[in-house]
Amino acid sequence: MALAARTSRPLGEVLVEQGVITPIQLDEGLQRQRLTGDMLGRILVSLGYCEEQDIIEALGVQQGMDRVDLTKLSIADEVIRTVSGDVAKFYNIIPVRIVMGELVVAMADPLNLQILDDLRQITGMEVRGAVSNPEDVQASWKKNYAFEAESIGKMLDELKEKVGEAELSLEELGMQEVIGDTENLIELAQQPEVIKIVNLIFLTAIQKRASDIHFEVYEDDFRVRIRVDGVLQETVRPPKAACVAITSRIKVICNMDIGERRLPQDARIELKIGDSVIDIRVSTLPTLYGEYVVMRILDRTAVRIDLNQLGLGGAVFKHVNKTIQKPNGIMLVTGPTGSGKTTTLYACLNVLNKPDVKIITTEDPVEL
């Protein structure tokens, strides 16, 4: 009952209590809300009374989460060890304490409750969220995980010890009719080792600024390749036994039909990994030996949409700038995957985007 009471507290009351806004500013925001019907948080941000992060933190408190100040906390080693450094970085969280067997984690994004579900699977513990902010979480990560660097190779060794090199039988998987039962496939995708290896593959691809990830299954092999600067390079070779589990995990993340393996599927999702907002387009293709998965990655925070920062040579820059200023015409931008075609076009639009200019784009798909 106490939690329900906390959940029902108005957002404005939480913001005033935290000292983010004053009662007078709240009244002004409420008056404007009655006139416009817009959300209170959006109104307060537009008025300049608070930042978007303030609203996110207040909404977390509104949901019954505690607020923690990571800058003043000394976290015990045994608590830090409950979550590996790569997992903490992937989800942008820091474990802060264990209370009655329940792990409390400080979250940069307290509204993303899926994180708590994943952490329960990974740690095998009950997990409760606490409100923090991206800056404090990042600083605490550097402080507490400075000497830890979990690698995909280490995770693969642990995975191979558990599942072996060969294709697992149904009995070895400990399930009945794993391939035919959707519920069993979901359970398989939620195994801690599977979650961690998929997360680490994502992190590696983003750190190397890869444009896409390829999960390729063959008769006796399963490998993962990423495309960097237009060139495919192999990263890891997970055991063939993990193929169904890893593919199922990707489908769960992308809200695909996990039970459909005979038809191609496409999906698009947005993930927040550390400080990066990642758009991912996913395609699956049935093959003779399993499903082939390709993930197209677009890191919004890494995209430079300033024409001056694209590295164009002096003559080319002048020519492009002159071309886009013309009242009509067509400009073709060509190149291999990941070469910067979309970034170049968006940078050109950014130059033309002025209050007195109307811009309509036709895009398939919309990438930024």
Side-chain angles (χ1 to χ4, degrees):
M1 294 298 293
L3 179 60
R6 293 178 69 180
T7 303
S8 62
R9 293 173 61 198
L11 175 63
E13 180 183 319
V14 176
L15 289 168
V16 171
E17 182 184 282
Q18 293 179 341
V20 176
I21 61 174
T22 66
I24 295 176
Q25 291 172 335
L26 174 59
D27 288 340
E28 183 180 349
L30 290 173
Q31 289 176 16
R32 184 162 298 193
Q33 184 185 38
R34 284 191 287 270
L35 291 172
T36 64
D38 203 355
M39 291 185 290
L40 178 62
R42 186 176 296 167
I43 291 171
L44 293 172
V45 171
S46 67
L47 291 172
Y49 293 156
C50 62
E51 300 293 332
E52 186 174 338
Q53 183 62 34
D54 296 324
I55 301 298
I56 293 174
E57 293 177 19
L59 288 171
V61 173
Q62 189 186 42
Q63 294 300 316
M65 294 184 181
D66 296 326
R67 184 173 180 139
V68 294
D69 187 350
L70 290 174
T71 61
K72 299 179 180 178
L73 281 183
S74 178
I75 305 171
D77 288 341
E78 58 267 23
V79 176
I80 288 294
R81 284 196 293 270
T82 59
V83 178
S84 69
D86 280 312
V87 170
K89 186 173 185 179
F90 184 88
Y91 290 112
N92 226 3
I93 59 96
I94 296 291
V96 292
R97 57 179 173 267
I98 299 175
V99 182
M100 301 292 289
E102 184 180 55
L103 178 64
V104 180
V105 297
M107 306 173 67
D109 184 6
L111 302 184
N112 190 348
L113 301 182
Q114 180 62 44
I115 290 175
L116 301 180
D117 290 337
D118 285 356
L119 291 175
R120 290 186 187 104
Q121 294 289 338
I122 292 171
T123 63
M125 303 173 66
E126 281 299 314
V127 182
R128 175 161 54 91
V131 178
S132 185
N133 60 74
E135 293 77 18
D136 287 355
V137 168
Q138 187 175 12
S140 184
W141 188 92
K142 290 179 180 178
K143 174 184 175 182
N144 291 288
Y145 291 103
F147 302 104
E148 179 182 337
E150 186 170 24
S151 67
I152 292 183
K154 179 182 175 183
M155 273 302 307
L156 281 177
D157 290 340
E158 294 177 5
L159 195 60
K160 287 177 181 178
E161 286 180 10
K162 185 163 185 174
V163 304
E165 299 283 354
E167 190 72 59
L168 292 184
S169 66
L170 300 184
E171 292 75 18
E172 289 171 324
L173 283 168
M175 301 178 186
Q176 297 295 324
E177 299 180 358
V178 172
I179 302 303
D181 193 325
T182 302
E183 291 184 3
N184 284 340
L185 282 173
I186 294 174
E187 183 178 346
L188 186 62
Q190 298 295 342
Q191 295 302 308
E193 293 82 3
V194 176
I195 294 175
K196 291 174 76 174
I197 191 66
V198 172
N199 290 354
L200 284 170
I201 291 171
F202 283 171
L203 274 177
T204 300
I206 291 165
Q207 288 168 352
K208 293 185 177 182
R209 303 176 74 92
S211 61
D212 44 63
I213 311 173
H214 295 248
F215 296 83
E216 304 166 336
V217 58
Y218 302 96
E219 182 177 7
D220 301 311
D221 197 12
F222 180 45
R223 66 178 181 178
V224 180
R225 295 195 292 170
I226 62 176
R227 189 185 301 276
V228 181
D229 295 330
V231 179
L232 278 172
Q233 53 185 252
E234 187 171 311
T235 55
V236 291
R237 285 179 180 258
K240 178 72 185 304
C243 173
V244 174
I246 290 176
T247 303
S248 298
R249 176 61 187 170
I250 294 170
K251 286 185 173 182
V252 168
I253 294 173
C254 301
N255 296 315
M256 286 181 168
D257 183 353
I258 197 171
E260 179 57 74
R261 295 177 306 282
R262 293 173 297 178
L263 295 175
Q265 294 188 67
D266 293 291
R268 179 171 182 167
I269 58 169
E270 180 182 287
L271 295 178
K272 189 170 184 180
I273 302 176
D275 296 327
S276 301
V277 178
I278 310 297
D279 274 331
I280 301 179
R281 296 203 308 272
V282 186
S283 297
T284 66
L285 180 68
T287 69
L288 184 61
Y289 303 110
E291 286 185 284
Y292 189 110
V293 181
V294 178
M295 311 184 77
R296 184 78 167 87
I297 302 172
L298 180 65
D299 183 353
R300 291 185 190 173
T301 58
V303 175
R304 297 176 178 177
I305 54 175
D306 187 340
L307 196 59
N308 295 305
Q309 297 180 3
L310 294 184
L312 300 176
V316 175
F317 176 81
K318 290 180 180 178
H319 184 65
V320 170
N321 204 33
K322 180 180 178 181
T323 301
I324 63 177
Q325 300 295 338
K326 293 183 178 180
N328 51 63
I330 186 170
M331 181 174 74
L332 300 179
V333 182
T334 65
T337 301
S339 61
K341 301 182 295 295
T342 300
T343 304
T344 301
L345 291 173
Y346 272 90
C348 292
L349 288 174
N350 201 36
V351 174
L352 301 174
N353 189 19
K354 300 174 183 177
D356 59 337
V357 176
K358 175 67 174 179
I359 297 177
I360 298 176
T361 65
T362 303
E363 307 173 51
D364 184 18
V366 178
E367 291 191 301
L368 288 177

